[in-house]
Amino acid sequence: MQDPSVRPPNTPSNDVDAILPTELAFGSDGCIYINANSLPADMREGRPLFQGYALTPEEAAHAMEAIHMLALNVTVEVLKAARESSGKK
């Protein structure tokens, strides 16, 4: 996949990028936000706007720990659901 930092806005490199841009922010309001440049102007009306700043290295380290735990928990639940749906325990 192409490095998203060098890809012009609104120019996805594949179908996955078209659905899920890489510039994500998770809001404390439960919303997932994307970079405003990634959303065409005709799709912006009526949506909450998030304005943010880059995390410091220390903040980023804490965020990565939280994301790692989230990914682990999601993986465990997906595997559990797959086992249950296949009849295995």
Side-chain angles (χ1 to χ4, degrees):
M1 177 165 59
Q2 180 184 13
D3 179 353
S5 66
V6 297
R7 192 176 68 234
N10 301 320
T11 309
S13 63
N14 62 36
D15 290 341
V16 173
D17 286 340
I19 296 167
L20 186 60
T22 57
E23 307 89 359
L24 298 176
F26 299 95
S28 60
D29 59 1
C31 291
I32 300 173
Y33 293 89
I34 62 169
N35 184 307
N37 292 330
S38 296
L39 191 65
D42 64 332
M43 296 178 67
R44 295 178 188 172
E45 187 173 333
R47 294 186 186 210
L49 176 65
F50 171 83
Q51 182 175 355
Y53 295 92
L55 297 175
T56 66
E58 295 81 14
E59 293 166 337
H62 288 291
M64 290 308 297
E65 288 176 24
I67 291 169
H68 177 78
M69 288 303 300
L70 174 66
L72 176 62
N73 291 337
V74 169
T75 301
V76 168
E77 291 303 314
V78 167
L79 292 174
K80 179 180 169 186
R83 280 192 307 270
E84 290 173 357
S85 69
S86 69
K88 297 179 183 176
K89 295 287 175 178

